[in-house]
Amino acid sequence: MISVIIPLYNKAHTIVNTLNTVFHQTYQDFEVVIVNDGSTDNGVEVIRQNFNDSRIRIINQRNSGVSVARNRGVEAAKGDWIAFLDADDEWLPEYLNTLISTLSYYPNAEMIGCSSYYKDSISGNVSANALIDKYYEKCVNINYFMNPDKMTHIGATIILKSAFLQVGGFDTKLINNEDLLLLGLIAIHGNFIYIGQCLHVYVGNVVGQSTRDYSKRSLRISNSIKVLNRFYNAYDQYG
């Protein structure tokens, strides 16, 4: 079983669409763990009004940030594999099936990722912003560190729960790039499988999206530099 972890913070306007893309997956052996991170809108009520599925579990906590929410979701997860999805993003119907089927070829995989589309929520324009052309429609065991920024998105990756716990989960002190650091640490210790298909949709320009908070731009840049230093120091040590 796959545990789908969705952190929820003031996304009542997007969460129904996101969950619809989960429940329309061709692979149905999953649970959905939604961690409500102190939302001030009616997102939880919207979920309960639109979905009546025993596979949904909702955990409420004080607002503590996306990393705390994701870590708590993993702690509560019952599945051996973890899939993360933001409350405003989408999956194509074959997403889970394509990634989990890879285990028949790579049974020792600890992290499996694919490419993403980018969709502007305002214009509706869609582009493939993270597809590595040389691996188009291929499934390969490759070096994650060739281009970590473009290798996979957190919402386009499934992770073995034991591997997630081994590296300590998301760093809760970081305000950005915590996902890049996590994926890198797991890739150092285990096998990363890349699928050259766009099966995840990152939706940008969404109201309430953290990346739209320009007041923290300088702090985010400083934080990104720290994350990259930790990322490459870890690679030098273990790679």
Side-chain angles (χ1 to χ4, degrees), residues 2 26-27 94-107 112 139 158 195:
I2 300 175
T26 57
Y27 182 91
E94 288 293 331
Y95 172 77
L96 288 178
N97 186 62
T98 300
L99 269 64
I100 203 68
S101 295
T102 301
L103 291 174
S104 62
Y105 303 101
Y106 299 100
I112 304 167
C139 176
I158 62 172
I195 299 171

Side-chain angles (χ1 to χ4, degrees), residues 187-199:
I188 289 170
H189 293 283
N191 293 322
F192 168 64
I193 309 303
Y194 177 79
I195 299 171
Q197 298 181 48
C198 290
L199 299 168

Side-chain angles (χ1 to χ4, degrees), residues 23 28 30-32 47 50-57:
F23 285 103
Q28 288 285 306
F30 60 78
E31 64 169 352
V32 180
I47 293 169
N50 286 274
F51 299 93
N52 181 22
D53 194 305
S54 61
R55 290 174 293 179
I56 295 178
R57 284 189 287 147

Side-chain angles (χ1 to χ4, degrees), residues 18 32 38 46 50 54 77 85 98 112 123 132 135 152 155 173 176-178 184 196 201 218:
T18 294
V32 180
V46 166
N50 286 274
S54 61
L85 185 62
T98 300
I112 304 167
S123 68
I132 302 176
Y135 299 119
T152 190
K173 296 179 182 178
N176 65 312
N177 279 345
E178 74 289 334
V201 182
S218 61

Side-chain angles (χ1 to χ4, degrees), residues 167-179:
V167 301
F170 291 97
D171 188 329
T172 58
K173 296 179 182 178
L174 299 175
I175 66 166
N176 65 312
N177 279 345
E178 74 289 334
D179 48 357

